[in-house]
C-alpha cells in the first residue's frame, strides 16, 4: 500500500457505544490534539475501511493510520495509547504475542453491541471533538 495522505486518523464504528467512548477517551487525553477521527459510517470512513479491507457494513476492527502505516485490532489500540501522554507504558504490551492480543480484541469486538449496546445513529460529538472528525 502506498502512503495514505492523512496521518493520525482513527477509524471507528460510530454506532458502537464502546467505540464512541474509546474516541472520547482518546480525545480527552490527546492534549496535543494529534489524532483525528472518522466513523466508518461516513463517506471518508467507508472509503478508508474498504481500502484496508474492512467491511463498512460490519466492521470487526478499528484502525489507526500512524506514521503512514495502518494498524488494526490490538496493534491499533496499543499504537494509539502509546502516543498519549502518560500512557507510553502500554508499549510493554506489544511483548504479548499478537495472536493472543488479537484473540482478546476480536472477542470483545465481536460481542461489543451485546455487551455495551449500540446507538440508533452515529453518535454526534460535541463541538470541540467535532472539529477533529473527518467525514
Amino acid at each position: 500500500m502506498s502512503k495514505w495522505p492523512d496521518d493520525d486518523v482513527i477509524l471507528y464504528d460510530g454506532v458502537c457505544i464502546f467505540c464512541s467512548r474509546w474516541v472520547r477517551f482518546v480525545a480527552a487525553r490527546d492534549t496535543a490534539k494529534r489524532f483525528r477521527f472518522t466513523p466508518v459510517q461516513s463517506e471518508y470512513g467507508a472509503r478508508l475501511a474498504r481500502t484496508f479491507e474492512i467491511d463498512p457494513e460490519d466492521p470487526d476492527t478499528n484502525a489507526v493510520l500512524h506514521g503512514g502505516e495502518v494498524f488494526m485490532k490490538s496493534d491499533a489500540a496499543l499504537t494509539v495509547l502509546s502516543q498519549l501522554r502518560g500512557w507510553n507504558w502500554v508499549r510493554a504490551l506489544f511483548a504479548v504475542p499478537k495472536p493472543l492480543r488479537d484473540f482478546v480484541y476480536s472477542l470483545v469486538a465481536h460481542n461489543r453491541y451485546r455487551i455495551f449496546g449500540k446507538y440508533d445513529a452515529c453518535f454526534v460529538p460535541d463541538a470541540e471533538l467535532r472539529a477533529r472528525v473527518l467525514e
Side-chain angles (χ1 to χ4, degrees):
M1 178 187 96
S2 61
K3 274 194 137 180
W4 192 261
D6 293 319
D7 204 23
D8 292 327
V9 175
I10 297 172
L11 174 69
Y12 69 99
D13 181 353
V15 297
C16 168
I17 291 174
F18 179 75
C19 306
S20 298
R21 287 182 182 159
W22 162 248
V23 166
R24 289 190 294 261
F25 175 89
V26 171
R29 287 154 184 81
D30 181 17
T31 56
K33 297 185 180 353
R34 169 187 218 157
F35 288 103
R36 293 172 296 156
F37 312 93
T38 187
V40 71
Q41 290 80 9
S42 71
E43 183 180 326
Y44 181 77
R47 191 168 47 115
L48 270 182
R50 285 188 294 274
T51 299
F52 304 138
E53 298 179 358
I54 297 170
D55 180 357
E57 301 300 317
D58 186 25
D60 63 349
T61 181
N62 75 339
V64 64
L65 290 158
H66 176 69
E69 294 182 56
V70 62
F71 299 91
M72 292 193 231
K73 297 194 178 193
S74 64
D75 284 345
L78 294 177
T79 296
V80 170
L81 286 172
S82 70
Q83 299 302 309
L84 301 177
R85 188 174 186 187
W87 285 83
N88 59 353
W89 61 268
V90 302
R91 288 185 177 120
L93 296 176
F94 280 111
V96 175
K98 183 174 172 47
L100 178 60
R101 286 188 282 118
D102 282 351
F103 173 78
V104 173
Y105 181 97
S106 294
L107 189 64
V108 173
H110 181 72
N111 294 292
R112 70 192 183 280
Y113 296 148
R114 190 170 49 81
I115 297 169
F116 302 103
K118 182 178 177 180
Y119 294 120
D120 291 331
C122 205
F123 102 99
V124 178
D126 61 30
E128 184 179 333
L129 181 53
R130 184 122 190 93
R132 298 170 64 187
V133 173
L134 303 171
E135 295 187 296

